[in-house]
């Protein structure tokens, strides 16, 4: 079915009507009716608009139905928005101003709603870049208000008050910007910015307690660099928001050039059977995770500018096979692969620390622990996914965030794989990891990849011809078998022998063809080929998810510790630090 403006207007009108009236049954029916079909669209803009509206429907279903925090509806809304962003056409030179404005306006709305859904998942760091994009596009006042709320939530969630103050300051600046754009909001959207509203109240409290120049220190702070290389490295980390530092999500000033996030202080009972390093096991484990993360981060930085053609002595001791895949086998790729391995393993380490700290599983299940299994009910024997008994009613936003990051990494239950909607043409993180660890992964020159993939017409034509011959041969064999059965019933031995000989010959030909097809399937899937630009993109996405996950881990523990009753006798312990 071809969808144009008329069909799109009809869908949007029905969706808005059902959402406004709270008719969730009709909304469900509308979504199911449309989502079960594949459509073609008169223009990519119409496809993006439809997917945006579909995301709004799923989001409304999640909000109105008060379903579990791990509901697929919330995930489906994120997927729909990501699909919408991918479908949205690029602005081209010569496009009409009306089309350009429409594309930018729709993109801003998609980014805003995607950010809101990520925030609903507890991913208060992952949503910030999307708010920023919406604000940068057209000063979207809805994005401004939502980001201000998110900043206040972050400020109240962290345990470093000086950082909280800067988030209050960031929220204040956003509120000021929101007030200056208040006329662009519908009346019902303005309340938070008007007297008595939560954001207006924050503005009043902030102005009563702070001055704007109190925060000049953050931008004026100057780092003492030990070398030009260190300066370039720290600047790169800040620009890519890779410091384990919540301030890096607000700015890239030199004051953020530190990985300050750590485990929060938490309550310990007195147990004389514990050694000092056992008492500090969780802090030491978190420090180890940070160390592995920082090493992987530096590997990426130190590799990104190595030429694809550069040789190195590490593998210069043997002749390399030219397998015509145009693969790159130098230090750059070797370090990229090491970084990917190190980053991917961090998610399992995070799962292990969480499971141990919250006593989610008996220690006898340690070998079964991974980020895949952390949220799963070990004792459930059914085929569909069931949440962990201790987590299914959890209101810990940051545990929720880690669960949804898991869904970015790989498929969970029957839900769609979200990671592909970073880029629908990209290989999934889990598939890359599987090929790297258990099969064969080749990082290929971009131009060579195009040659390898797009200029194999003869081989593809031959493979298709083989499959067609198999279909024809099977048909001929079936016909001969029918004839043979008839002849056999008539007891005609001479003709029966001839048909039998033909069947032997045809089955022999079929066997040869099937072996060729199997060989093609076996060898074509033996190695996973990825162009280096795509691998670099996936690697940066993965380390971004890891960075946020490490911070969510700390915030999840702090969330629980803040409401743990202080029963019994405890002694405060200061965590000792090594000298730099």
């Amino acid at each position: 079915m071809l969808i144009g403006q008329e069909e799109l207007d009809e869908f949007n009108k029905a969706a808005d009507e059902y959402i406004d009236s709270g008719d969730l049954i009709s909304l469900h029916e509308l979504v199911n009716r449309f989502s079960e079909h594949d459509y073609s669209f008169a223009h990519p803009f119409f496809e993006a608009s439809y997917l945006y509206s579909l995301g709004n429907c799923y989001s409304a279903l999640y909000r109105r139905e008060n379903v579990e925090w791990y509901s697929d509806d919330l995930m489906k809304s994120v997927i729909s928005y990501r699909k919408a962003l991918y479908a949205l056409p690029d602005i081209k030179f010569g496009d009409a101003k009306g089309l350009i404005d429409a594309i930018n306006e729709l993109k801003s709305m998609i980014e805003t709603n995607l950010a809101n859904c990520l925030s609903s998942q507890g991913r208060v760091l992952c949503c910030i870049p999307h708010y920023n994009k919406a604000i940068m596009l057209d000063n979207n006042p809805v994005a401004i208000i939502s980001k201000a709320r998110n900043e206040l939530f972050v400020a109240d969630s962290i345990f470093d008050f000086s950082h909280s103050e800067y988030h209050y300051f960031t929220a204040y600046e956003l509120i000021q910007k929101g007030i200056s754009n208040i006329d662009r909001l519908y009346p019902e959207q303005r309340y938070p910015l008007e007297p008595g509203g939560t954001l207006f109240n924050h503005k009043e409290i902030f102005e009563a307690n702070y001055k704007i120049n109190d925060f000049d220190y953050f931008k004026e702070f100057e780092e003492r660099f030990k070398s030009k290389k260190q300066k370039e490295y720290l600047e790169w980390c800040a620009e890519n928001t890779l410091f384990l530092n919540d301030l890096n999500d607000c700015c890239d000033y030199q004051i953020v050039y530190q990985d300050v996030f750590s485990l929060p202080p938490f309550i310990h009972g007195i147990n004389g059977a514990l050694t000092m390093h056992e008492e500090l096991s969780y802090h030491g484990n978190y420090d180890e995770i940070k160390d592995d993360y920082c090493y992987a981060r530096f590997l990426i930085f130190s590799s990104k500018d190595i030429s694809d053609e550069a040789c190195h002595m590490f593998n210069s001791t043997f002749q390399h096979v030219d397998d015509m895949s145009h693969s790159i086998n130098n230090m750059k790729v070797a370090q990229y692969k090491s970084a990917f391995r190190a980053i991917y393993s961090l998610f399992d380490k995070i799962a292990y620390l969480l499971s141990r700290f919250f006593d989610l599983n008996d220690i006898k299940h340690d070998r079964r622990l991974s980020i895949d299994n952390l949220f799963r009910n070990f004792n459930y024997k059914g085929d569909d996914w069931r949440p962990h008994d201790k987590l299914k009613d959890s209101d810990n936003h940051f545990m929720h965030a880690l669960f949804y990051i898991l869904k970015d990494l790989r498929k969970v239950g029957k839900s769609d794989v979200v990671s592909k909607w970073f880029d629908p043409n990209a290989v999934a993180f889990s598939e890359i990891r599987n090929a790297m660890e258990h099969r064969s992964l080749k990082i290929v020159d971009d131009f060579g990849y195009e040659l390898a993939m797009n200029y194999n017409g003869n081989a593809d034509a031959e493979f298709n011809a083989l499959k067609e011959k198999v279909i024809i041969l099977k048909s001929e064999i079936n016909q001969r078998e029918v004839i043979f059965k008839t002849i056999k019933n008539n007891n005609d031995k001479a003709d029966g022998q001839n048909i039998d000989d033909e069947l032997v010959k045809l089955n022999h030909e079929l066997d040869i063809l099937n072996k060729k097809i199997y060989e093609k399937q076996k060898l074509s899937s033996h190695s996973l080929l990825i162009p280096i630009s795509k691998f670099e993109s996936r690697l940066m996405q993965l380390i971004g998810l890891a960075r946020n996950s490490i911070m969510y881990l700390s915030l999840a523990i702090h969330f629980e510790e803040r409401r743990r009753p202080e029963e019994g006798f405890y002694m405060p312990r200061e965590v000792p630090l090594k000298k730099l």
Side-chain angles (χ1 to χ4, degrees):
M1 177 180 173
L2 180 67
I3 290 185
Q5 188 66 59
E6 185 177 342
E7 293 81 6
L8 187 61
D9 288 344
E10 182 182 343
F11 174 80
N12 289 338
K13 181 181 178 181
D16 289 343
E17 178 185 335
Y18 299 146
I19 291 172
D20 291 342
S21 66
D23 187 353
L24 301 185
I25 295 175
S26 296
L27 185 60
H28 261 299
E29 291 173 352
L30 178 72
V31 168
N32 292 338
R33 188 168 72 249
F34 272 81
S35 60
E36 66 187 11
H37 297 291
D38 290 327
Y39 299 103
S40 56
F41 295 85
H43 190 278
F45 182 82
F46 295 149
E47 181 178 7
S49 298
Y50 163 70
L51 291 166
Y52 166 70
S53 297
L54 193 63
N56 292 342
C57 292
Y58 284 125
S59 180
L61 289 171
Y62 173 77
R63 291 195 314 271
R64 303 286 179 86
E65 291 184 322
N66 295 317
V67 293
E68 303 89 354
W69 62 265
Y70 48 86
S71 163
D72 272 351
D73 283 338
L74 185 55
M75 198 71 262
K76 288 174 182 176
S77 64
V78 169
I79 293 172
S80 297
Y81 292 137
R82 287 200 182 279
K83 286 181 177 180
L85 285 175
Y86 186 78
L88 202 62
D90 293 327
I91 294 173
K92 300 181 180 63
F93 179 77
D95 281 345
K97 185 178 184 303
L99 177 61
I100 293 173
D101 290 344
I103 290 173
N104 283 334
E105 182 182 12
L106 179 58
K107 186 173 184 180
S108 175
M109 292 190 297
I110 297 169
E111 293 283 9
T112 301
N113 286 13
L114 172 58
N116 287 338
C117 279
L118 292 174
S119 182
S120 296
Q121 293 177 347
R123 297 171 65 172
V124 296
L125 305 176
C126 299
C127 65
I128 292 174
H130 298 286
Y131 286 133
N132 292 343
K133 289 174 185 176
I135 294 169
M136 189 166 42
L137 275 168
D138 61 357
N139 263 341
N140 187 324
V142 177
I144 292 169
I145 289 175
S146 297
K147 186 184 176 187
R149 286 193 180 115
N150 190 73
E151 285 296 317
L152 293 177
F153 183 81
V154 172
D156 293 336
S157 299
I158 58 180
F159 45 90
D160 185 325
F161 186 67
S162 65
H163 283 213
S164 294
E165 288 181 313
Y166 194 82
H167 288 290
Y168 292 142
F169 168 64
T170 303
Y172 173 77
E173 289 192 315
L174 288 164
I175 293 166
Q176 293 284 66
K177 185 181 287 190
I179 291 172
S180 66
N181 285 274
I182 198 169
D183 291 341
R184 296 171 59 195
L185 293 167
Y186 292 112
E188 63 271 17
Q189 295 174 316
R190 298 176 184 177
Y191 176 71
L193 296 174
E194 294 175 334
T198 53
L199 297 183
F200 187 89
N201 289 344
H202 173 75
K203 171 181 172 294
E204 299 252 292
I205 294 170
F206 184 88
E207 289 174 344
N209 290 278
Y210 299 99
K211 296 177 181 177
I212 298 299
N213 58 13
D214 290 342
F215 298 88
D216 289 347
Y217 167 77
F218 288 87
K219 68 173 73 171
E220 293 170 355
F221 176 86
E222 292 187 2
E223 179 73 29
R224 294 181 180 179
F225 300 107
K226 296 178 181 178
S227 65
K228 182 181 177 181
K229 180 84 170 182
Q230 185 204 30
K231 181 175 183 292
E232 291 173 355
Y233 171 59
L234 297 178
E235 287 174 346
W236 175 81
C237 291
E239 287 168 8
N240 289 280
T241 321
L242 292 178
F243 281 110
L244 298 172
N245 188 336
D246 53 285
L247 294 185
N248 196 187
D249 295 275
C250 302
C251 63
D252 58 3
Y253 303 143
Q254 292 185 10
I255 199 169
V256 308
Y257 291 7
Q258 306 170 74
D259 296 297
V260 296
F261 238 74
S262 60
L263 280 193
F266 48 77
I267 296 170
H268 272 301
I270 296 175
N271 185 347
L274 296 177
T275 65
M276 289 187 67
H277 83 84
E278 287 169 345
E279 289 182 359
L280 294 166
S281 289
Y282 298 129
H283 290 89
N285 190 183
Y286 193 84
D287 202 56
E288 178 187 358
I289 289 172
K290 286 175 63 175
D291 205 53
D292 289 349
Y293 167 81
C294 291
Y295 174 64
R297 184 179 65 188
F298 184 75
L299 275 181
I300 297 172
F301 168 78
S302 60
S303 307
K304 65 183 180 66
D305 293 326
I306 298 175
S307 168
D308 292 352
E309 290 77 32
C311 298
H312 193 275
M313 62 181 173
F314 89 93
N315 65 348
S316 63
T317 52
F318 67 98
Q319 288 291 117
H320 294 266
V321 174
D322 186 357
D323 62 2
M324 305 301 171
S325 68
H326 305 278
S327 59
I328 305 169
N329 305 104
N330 63 0
M331 181 62 81
K332 178 177 188 172
V333 165
Q335 292 187 162
Y336 272 168
K337 287 183 176 180
S338 294
F340 191 99
R341 288 188 181 98
I343 296 165
Y344 204 97
S345 70
L346 289 176
F347 296 100
D348 288 344
K349 292 182 178 181
I350 289 170
Y352 177 76
L353 197 159
L354 279 171
S355 181
R356 282 299 188 95
F357 186 86
F358 291 115
D359 283 323
L360 297 180
N361 302 284
D362 193 285
I363 58 175
K364 68 183 180 182
H365 292 309
D366 274 359
R367 290 187 177 275
R368 300 177 66 185
L369 272 174
S370 67
I371 193 64
D372 301 53
N373 288 330
L374 177 66
F375 300 93
R376 185 172 68 83
N377 186 340
F378 278 165
N379 299 319
Y380 181 69
K381 304 302 182 183
D383 294 332
D384 57 330
W385 185 84
R386 285 287 187 277
H388 195 292
D389 291 340
K390 293 183 179 179
L391 297 177
K392 64 181 180 180
D393 296 321
S394 170
D395 61 349
N396 188 323
H397 317 285
F398 307 109
M399 290 292 278
H400 303 174
L402 289 167
F403 170 75
Y404 282 106
I405 283 181
L406 161 61
K407 297 189 89 171
D408 271 354
L409 293 175
R410 64 191 312 142
K411 186 177 177 68
V412 176
K414 297 178 181 178
S415 63
D416 200 354
V417 181
V418 184
S419 64
K420 68 181 180 184
W421 297 113
F422 285 117
D423 177 356
N425 296 321
V427 181
F429 295 122
S430 56
E431 189 176 347
I432 294 172
R433 191 251 184 185
N434 181 272
M436 188 181 295
E437 296 294 347
H438 307 295
R439 294 163 50 211
S440 167
L441 177 71
K442 295 183 182 296
I443 311 299
V444 181
D445 168 76
D446 282 4
F447 181 68
Y449 181 83
E450 292 297 319
L451 289 176
M453 294 294 106
N454 297 334
Y455 296 96
N456 290 329
N458 291 336
D460 291 340
E462 177 65 22
F463 184 57
N464 290 330
L466 288 174
K467 290 189 288 185
E468 289 175 6
K469 287 179 182 178
V470 165
I471 294 172
I472 293 170
L473 271 177
K474 285 182 176 179
S475 177
E476 289 183 10
I477 289 170
N478 287 336
Q479 291 173 9
R480 295 294 193 283
E481 286 176 342
V482 171
I483 294 171
F484 181 75
K485 188 175 180 180
T486 302
I487 291 172
K488 189 175 180 181
N489 289 338
N490 294 334
N491 204 22
D492 189 338
K493 293 184 179 180
D495 286 345
Q497 185 60 48
N498 290 335
I499 296 296
D500 190 48
D501 291 342
E502 288 181 23
L503 280 171
V504 170
K505 183 179 178 182
L506 290 172
N507 277 304
H508 179 66
E509 289 181 33
L510 180 63
D511 186 53
I512 292 173
L513 291 176
N514 282 330
K515 285 179 178 178
K516 288 183 178 180
I517 290 172
Y518 174 71
E519 185 177 32
K520 168 68 175 179
Q521 293 170 336
K522 182 173 68 171
L523 296 179
S524 65
S525 62
H526 186 84
S527 298
L528 177 62
L529 273 63
I530 304 179
I532 191 164
S533 62
K534 290 288 185 184
F535 187 79
E536 288 172 329
S537 174
R538 298 303 266 160
L539 187 56
M540 291 304 292
Q541 291 164 0
L542 185 67
I543 196 171
L545 290 174
R547 178 257 184 187
N548 290 348
S549 297
I550 294 169
M551 295 169 72
Y552 292 145
L553 166 62
S554 172
L555 292 170
I557 291 174
H558 183 52
F559 182 91
E560 297 295 338
E561 286 299 307
R562 283 194 300 181
R563 60 186 186 183
R564 180 177 292 185
E566 297 185 20
E567 299 173 349
F569 184 65
Y570 299 92
M571 286 188 65
R573 163 174 281 286
E574 183 176 337
V575 178
L577 301 174
K578 296 179 180 179
K579 291 184 179 180
L580 292 175

